[in-house]
Amino acid sequence: MVEIRVLGPLEVLAEGRPVALPAGRARIVLAVLALHAGRTVSVGRLIEAAWGEDSPATARAQVQALVSALRRALAAADPRSQAIETHNGGYALRADGVRTDLASFTGRIRRGRAVAAAGRHAEAVGLFRAALALWRGPAFDGFSSRLLEAEAAQYEEIRLAVLEECIGAELDLGLPTPHMDLMTELRAITVAHPLRESAQRLRMIALHRAGRPAEALTAFHEARRALADELGVEPGPALRALYQQILTEDPGLAPEGADRPRQAGSLASRCTLFGRDRDITGLVGLVLERRMVTLVGPPGVGKTQLALAGAAKAAGRLSDGVYVVELDAVTGPELVPSAVAGALGIPAGPGRPVMDALCGALAPRHALLVLDNCEHLLDACAELADLLLTRCPRLHILATSREALALPDEVIQPVGPLDVPPEDTMEAVLRSPAGQMFLDRVAARRPGFAVTDEAQAELVARICRAAEGLPLAVELVAAQLRTYALAEVAARLPRQLRSLSRRRSTPDRHRSLEAAIAWSHRLLSPGEQRVFARLSAFSGGFTLAAAQAVVVDVPAATVQPHRPPHAAAVDTTVRDLVDRSLLQASPEDEPTRYRLLEPIREFAREQLALHDEGPAIRSRHAAYFREMAEHVQLSDDAPGEGRDGAEHRSIRLRRSLRRELPNLRAGLDWSFGPGDLDDGVRLVGAMSWIWVGLPGEGLQWVERALTRLDSAPPTVRPQVLYAAGLIHLSTDLTRAAALLEQAARSAEACGDVPRQLEALAQLSVVRCMQGDAEESARTAELVLTIVQPLATEFATARARVAVAIARCGLGDLSVAAHHLELAEGVLAAHEDREALATVRWAQAELAYYRGDPHSAAALSAAALRDTAVGHDLFATVCRRAQHARNLQAAGDLATSARLLRTVLRACLDKGLWMPAVDALITAARQEADRGHPTRAVTLLSAANTLRTTTGRHPAPVEHPVLRALVRRLQKRLATGEHSEAEKHGSAMTAEQAIRHALESLSPAESGPPQPLA
């Protein structure tokens, strides 16, 4: 029997001996027949595989000759062989006369999956390993056929999937630790394919079972970085859930025979805690290792419940147990020792001081003393704890407070809010601790309540975010579900959140969130209360420099009865508010950022209104962030010379400004409301580069600003017009061109040369997108003419990039390459990664149109990585679409399809119709390569219809490539089929076309072939 092997270089054996085969296209024909062993392959299919789109007129006759040559070679090796038969205008390998490694591979996989489903993991592993052993290298290795390259990519995906199934079955055998060769295998897979979440998950499980949980967590972060860098997405739910299981030491992941965590002791928490498993585990370790631990956190964060839960778990490891003392009802510092002694049942006795009695009773005990609610008695609690720790060597103390006790050996453990749902989806709600707590508390008060659809999930997510994940706030809101519908509760928040109250048995300061915040507020000095109130002007956080600029120097007439605080006083007060848990600090940011949780901020805003300082503070806040945005804008026009740290200065400034988006929005709301409208118009113009990534929101603000242009200062007009032009880039190129032309004229009229050049440069890009490459080149060369005598070499280099892009559109590739070469060195010296990303993008275009798709893919990948620095959504989506096209041209269909799905979803979610045109064309190429010409024609026709809407037309350099695709599809379909598919696509809206493409590119469609599905 003849054996044909294609899982590696083509190899034919007859009775175990190699068979000499004809060279050239005959080998391609045999490989295609082996791919479809037992089934007829049409002559047209063989022609396509052997010659591609440029087949000769004599191709049919040549195929017949190639088959005859193959028959002679096989017959010479085995005279009995009649391996190749003729059927209905095609050829087939005889199923009973030929054996292929592909058939053996798929058969073993099928049997392996069957026995794995029956729980026979050892047998499944044997079958999977036998199937994988058939591979001698990449499938169809050495062939230049586009058809076989596509098949090779699909079979490589199958091989990886089977390898993962095999490793999963080996892990399911229940061995205590995975074998070393298995760990090595998993490492190799994840290094070669860092975006395969299934492989990353197996590696994390294997590392955890091997007793290496820290490495398992590190593997998750490596995978997360790879997904963010390449695709701009977060890990999927399965990988995130596994991370949480490892992080919280979930017993279900432990190998057989491992010790299980101890059960909680007799000291029970008053209610179920959510999202605190890791905190509890860490707290138990701390209180057993260190003798003085203090839980600190904002009002309503659940410090008491966490302390009780941690004490319950630690109780079994302390021979004398746990003692809890609640201090919230103690009114004076002198009463603290007596309150502790009374709670512990320790009598002082006549003539014996209370502290002596306490020390005498606790000195021999190996116990934990919990001091709950110390913030209003800090000095007395600190003095008591210090004495007990000195005189009772086996005693451990756990305190809860909104401020630390400031003892020398005290370990301060911050307690933060619960994680809230990051998205408005059912899955996000059910996975987030805040969502879980909300649903649990509602169920306790309203039996039978459940979230059954995405609309309800969105309401729950909004409620949890309004509550900022504060357990007290979540519980108070959940109680409202006894009286109101879910939508009504969501509509009442966040304004009424602080006024909600709960059961009478609760201490006064825990009865409502407002009472809890007011308790902390009363502990502040009058000066601290004033700074606290003024900080409410900030939205989403602030830096110390911003706080000093906004809080200090308020006009004296508005401040009664206290004088405005000085900068040093603001610095000290901010630090004190952090210590007292009214202000959240993020020292991992640089510079450190501070934030008032929203319920606390609302309380502070009411305090600000009581002092009649609101308008003055809000105006100063809006002006500060308008000046900040304008400073960032100017930095783009005048970059520093030479090296300036790891990145260009303007990029760092942009990153810092992006963090202030909530403050910028607050400034816009104030300026277009009671504030200064001219300030608002200036701010809209200064945020032009931000609006590109937020086209929907930006369009609303720009339209409002455009109505004010007649009364705005002349220098503001070009900024707003330029911002409007950038926003329309993603949806309507005709409107964008008109606005950019107006911006250029307006800038020229008022002498704003930088803005004139920016507008002309963008206009050049728009003209190229519109297909008018000649006008694009003229505009770009005008920019270069203006720049060279006036500006720095940096500005000249950026102008050259615009000229290169225009020249590339004309098809003048040599001139474009020359300009890019001159620009690249200058931009690299300035380390302007965003500008260099544009250079890489243009170089990728040159490589693509020169017929070098592999270089194009490498260059577009580099452009995509550097585009992420700027977070320009429009540029990122456009470059991802380009990268997907280049990957497809280079033969990496699987990665191209995955990236293309990301691009199309972004276009659909954000309404980015212009890049959707290019994405749909690439999707059409994908369908053509996968053998679906009807789908390809439909998508191409839909893209052409969308061109009319957006004004996105091909430049001259694109015409030959598109014509080749059209001719290819016309050859594959009958005239009637082609017309029907065109008609179907032309009737689609943008949304329909994108959804149709997403369905066509679904993982199931673009994954392994149907026989193995």
Side-chain angles (χ1 to χ4, degrees):
M1 178 174 284
V2 173
E3 181 181 359
I4 302 177
R5 300 176 179 177
V6 293
L7 297 177
L10 177 64
E11 187 176 80
V12 179
L13 302 176
E15 302 301 331
R17 296 186 303 274
V19 175
L21 295 172
R25 291 189 173 89
R27 299 172 66 87
I28 295 177
V29 170
L30 183 60
V32 175
L33 293 174
L35 176 67
H36 301 282
R39 290 174 290 163
T40 301
V41 182
S42 68
V43 173
R45 181 80 164 165
L46 293 173
I47 291 172
E48 181 184 359
W51 282 276
E53 297 178 1
D54 301 321
S55 59
T58 59
R60 282 187 167 272
Q62 289 191 48
V63 167
Q64 185 177 5
L66 293 173
V67 171
S68 296
L70 287 170
R71 284 171 170 162
R72 286 194 298 270
L74 295 174
D78 182 0
R80 299 167 299 173
S81 172
Q82 295 182 356
I84 304 176
E85 296 180 327
T86 304
H87 290 294
N88 300 324
Y91 301 95
L93 287 179
R94 287 181 54 190
D96 59 345
V98 177
R99 182 171 61 242
T100 68
D101 55 356
L102 273 181
S104 299
F105 177 64
T106 55
R108 290 172 185 178
I109 293 170
R110 227 174 265 115
R111 294 197 302 276
R113 287 172 175 167
V115 299
R120 289 150 39 203
H121 300 301
E123 188 178 347
V125 168
L127 286 165
F128 287 144
R129 288 293 176 191
L132 294 167
L134 295 170
W135 286 68
R136 299 167 291 109
F140 303 103
D141 193 15
F143 288 108
S144 59
S145 166
R146 193 181 187 93
L147 185 148
L148 289 178
E149 287 173 357
E151 294 290 346
Q154 292 194 6
Y155 270 96
E156 174 61 16
E157 181 70 21
I158 296 169
R159 186 189 71 82
L160 289 171
V162 171
L163 181 55
E164 289 172 359
E165 288 183 72
C166 178
I167 293 172
E170 288 181 283
L171 291 174
D172 286 339
L173 290 175
L175 299 176
T177 56
H179 297 297
M180 186 56 66
D181 54 353
L182 191 63
M183 302 289 289
T184 303
E185 201 168 26
L186 280 167
R187 177 60 179 165
I189 298 172
T190 53
V191 167
H193 306 278
L195 304 182
R196 291 186 71 87
E197 294 191 49
S198 50
Q200 298 284 7
R201 182 177 183 277
L202 289 170
R203 183 173 175 235
M204 288 171 64
I205 292 173
L207 285 167
H208 182 269
R209 292 191 178 178
R212 295 151 64 181
E215 292 178 59
L217 297 176
T218 300
F220 172 83
H221 290 294
E222 290 173 356
R224 186 177 192 175
R225 280 194 297 271
L227 289 164
D229 290 345
E230 292 297 324
L231 302 179
V233 298
E234 283 290 304
L239 209 60
R240 295 198 305 270
L242 176 60
Y243 175 78
Q244 287 297 324
Q245 286 181 287
I246 295 173
L247 202 62
T248 57
E249 301 178 2
D250 188 334
L253 286 177
E256 293 297 324
D259 291 336
R260 300 301 186 205
R262 291 172 177 244
Q263 297 298 314
S266 58
L267 180 66
S269 175
R270 296 170 186 170
C271 56
T272 305
L273 299 185
F274 294 89
R276 297 296 195 197
D277 291 346
R278 184 183 180 189
D279 295 333
I280 293 169
T281 300
L283 180 59
V284 171
L286 274 179
V287 298
L288 294 174
E289 179 184 350
R290 306 295 291 269
R291 297 187 60 214
M292 179 71 226
V293 179
T294 303
L295 296 178
V296 297
V301 81
K303 299 180 292 294
T304 297
Q305 296 303 321
L306 178 59
L308 292 178
K313 293 200 74 169
R317 299 172 67 178
L318 298 159
S319 56
D320 295 300
V322 175
Y323 306 95
V324 179
V325 180
E326 297 180 352
L327 297 172
D328 57 304
V330 179
T331 56
E334 71 283 356
L335 301 176
V336 170
S338 298
V340 174
L344 271 59
I346 301 173
R352 188 184 186 193
V354 174
M355 285 303 302
D356 287 346
L358 270 174
C359 292
L362 293 174
R365 302 191 187 187
H366 183 218
L368 173 66
L369 176 63
V370 179
L371 299 176
D372 191 30
N373 304 319
C374 299
E375 57 270 358
H376 61 304
L377 303 162
L378 279 176
D379 291 340
C381 289
E383 183 180 349
L384 171 75
D386 190 38
L387 185 61
L388 289 175
L389 292 170
T390 301
R391 295 175 59 179
C392 307
R394 302 181 69 204
L395 183 68
H396 298 252
I397 297 177
L398 172 61
T400 73
S401 176
R402 296 177 193 176
E403 185 175 355
L405 273 60
L407 292 172
D409 295 326
E410 178 184 21
V411 176
I412 301 170
Q413 186 69 12
V415 181
L418 302 176
D419 288 341
V420 299
E423 301 170 346
D424 296 339
T425 64
M426 183 90 70
E427 181 184 3
V429 168
L430 296 177
R431 287 191 177 279
S432 72
Q436 293 168 2
M437 180 181 177
F438 179 80
L439 296 176
D440 177 80
R441 299 297 188 264
V442 173
R445 293 165 174 80
R446 186 171 152 185
F449 175 86
V451 174
T452 58
D453 56 43
E454 293 296 333
Q456 290 180 311
E458 179 184 357
L459 294 173
V460 174
R462 280 172 44 198
I463 289 169
C464 292
R465 288 196 288 269
E468 288 272 16
L470 291 171
L472 174 58
V474 172
E475 183 170 351
L476 293 174
V477 178
Q480 299 300 299
L481 268 293
R482 289 190 63 190
T483 308
Y484 301 102
L486 184 62
E488 292 173 315
V489 171
R492 290 158 57 90
L493 298 178
R495 291 292 180 182
Q496 297 188 11
L497 179 60
R498 290 184 295 107
S499 63
L500 302 178
S501 61
R502 62 180 180 182
R503 56 189 179 275
R504 300 180 185 275
S505 60
T506 306
D508 287 345
R509 68 189 189 87
H510 284 163
R511 197 167 293 168
S512 73
L513 191 56
E514 182 163 19
I517 299 170
W519 167 277
S520 293
H521 184 257
R522 285 195 296 271
L523 300 177
L524 302 177
S525 69
E528 290 170 334
Q529 290 177 349
R530 185 59 54 86
V531 172
F532 171 71
R534 292 174 184 172
L535 292 176
S536 67
F538 292 99
S539 177
F542 55 89
T543 63
L544 185 59
Q548 291 171 340
V550 173
V551 173
V552 178
D553 297 333
V554 177
T558 67
V559 183
Q560 297 293 336
H562 301 286
R563 292 168 52 192
H566 298 293
V570 172
D571 189 352
T572 301
T573 303
V574 165
R575 185 180 65 244
D576 290 344
L577 291 173
V578 171
D579 289 343
R580 295 176 184 183
S581 303
L582 283 171
L583 198 59
Q584 307 298 298
S586 299
E588 64 274 8
D589 292 327
E590 191 175 340
T592 301
R593 291 186 65 78
Y594 305 90
R595 185 171 78 94
L596 290 165
L597 296 177
E598 197 57 33
I600 298 175
R601 179 170 173 255
E602 287 296 323
F603 181 93
R605 289 182 70 173
E606 291 183 3
Q607 299 302 309
L608 183 65
L610 293 176
H611 298 294
D612 297 324
E613 294 179 355
I617 292 290
R618 293 289 300 277
S619 293
R620 188 164 184 82
H621 171 273
Y624 174 81
F625 286 102
R626 187 256 305 155
E627 291 170 3
M628 185 178 183
E630 289 177 335
H631 175 65
V632 173
Q633 186 181 55
L634 289 173
S635 75
D636 287 342
D637 299 331
E641 294 292 335
R643 289 183 172 273
D644 189 16
E647 295 177 344
H648 194 272
R649 177 167 54 96
S650 66
I651 295 175
R652 295 202 306 274
L653 290 172
R654 281 189 176 196
R655 180 182 289 119
S656 66
L657 188 62
R658 278 192 194 89
R659 294 175 181 169
E660 306 297 354
L661 187 55
N663 282 309
L664 294 167
R665 287 169 171 148
L668 287 169
D669 286 335
W670 174 258
S671 298
F672 279 91
D676 188 331
L677 275 172
D678 285 344
D679 261 10
V681 173
R682 288 174 62 182
L683 181 52
V684 169
M687 292 174 65
S688 59
W689 57 272
I690 289 181
W691 298 137
V692 174
L694 300 167
E697 180 181 355
L699 187 60
Q700 295 179 33
W701 286 115
V702 163
E703 292 299 334
R704 293 178 71 176
L706 288 174
T707 64
R708 294 282 304 171
L709 277 191
D710 291 340
S711 59
T715 55
V716 177
R717 291 177 56 83
Q719 296 179 14
V720 176
L721 289 166
Y722 178 68
L726 289 185
I727 291 171
H728 284 285
L729 268 176
S730 61
T731 55
D732 186 346
L733 292 179
T734 303
R735 176 74 169 141
L739 288 164
L740 290 169
E741 284 181 337
Q742 293 179 55
R745 288 196 298 269
S746 179
E748 184 180 17
C750 66
D752 186 350
V753 176
R755 187 63 51 226
Q756 178 193 8
L757 294 174
E758 285 288 345
L760 288 173
Q762 287 294 340
L763 181 59
S764 171
V765 174
V766 171
R767 292 302 190 203
C768 193
M769 291 177 178
Q770 289 178 305
D772 192 349
E774 292 183 358
E775 184 62 31
S776 172
R778 279 194 292 270
T779 305
E781 285 158 4
L782 174 62
V783 172
L784 186 58
T785 302
I786 297 173
V787 161
Q788 284 179 311
L790 299 176
T792 64
E793 63 172 1
F794 177 86
T796 301
R798 295 180 70 175
R800 287 191 182 280
V801 175
V803 173
I805 293 170
R807 284 291 171 184
C808 179
L810 276 171
D812 198 349
L813 304 185
S814 297
V815 174
H818 174 68
H819 281 287
L820 289 175
E821 184 178 353
L822 293 175
E824 185 176 7
V826 175
L827 298 175
H830 284 273
E831 298 190 3
D832 188 334
R833 292 177 63 186
E834 286 187 305
L836 282 171
T838 305
V839 171
R840 300 283 176 265
W841 172 69
Q843 290 171 335
E845 290 293 281
L846 291 178
Y848 178 80
Y849 289 113
R850 282 171 169 169
D852 185 359
H854 294 283
S855 295
L859 287 163
S860 59
L864 191 57
R865 283 193 295 272
D866 284 344
T867 299
V869 173
H871 298 284
D872 182 334
L873 176 64
F874 178 71
T876 301
V877 172
C878 287
R879 288 171 188 170
R880 282 179 178 167
Q882 176 212 32
H883 188 43
R885 179 204 66 188
N886 294 343
L887 288 169
Q888 184 271 338
D892 191 351
L893 301 185
T895 306
S896 175
R898 286 196 297 270
L899 184 55
L900 198 56
R901 288 196 295 271
T902 302
V903 169
L904 289 165
R905 288 193 193 101
C907 291
L908 187 62
D909 293 342
K910 302 297 182 181
L912 303 176
W913 306 138
M914 200 285 294
V917 174
D918 298 317
L920 288 171
I921 292 172
T922 302
R925 289 193 178 99
Q926 285 267 344
E927 291 301 291
D929 285 349
R930 287 163 47 206
H932 301 303
T934 303
R935 293 182 187 175
V937 172
T938 298
L939 291 172
L940 192 59
S941 177
N944 289 332
T945 299
L946 190 53
R947 287 188 190 282
T948 305
T949 305
T950 61
R952 167 68 172 102
H953 296 291
V957 74
E958 297 176 79
H959 291 158
V961 180
L962 291 172
R963 282 197 295 267
L965 177 60
V966 171
R967 286 196 302 270
R968 178 184 174 192
L969 294 173
Q970 287 173 338
K971 289 169 63 177
R972 297 281 297 276
L973 288 176
T975 303
E977 291 177 308
H978 192 283
S979 299
E980 187 63 28
E982 270 191 325
K983 182 179 178 182
H984 183 206
S986 65
M988 288 182 176
T989 64
E991 293 93 337
Q992 289 170 337
I994 293 173
R995 289 195 175 95
H996 183 72
L998 285 170
E999 290 170 3
S1000 298
L1001 294 168
S1002 65
E1005 286 282 343
S1006 56
Q1010 187 62 34
L1012 291 178

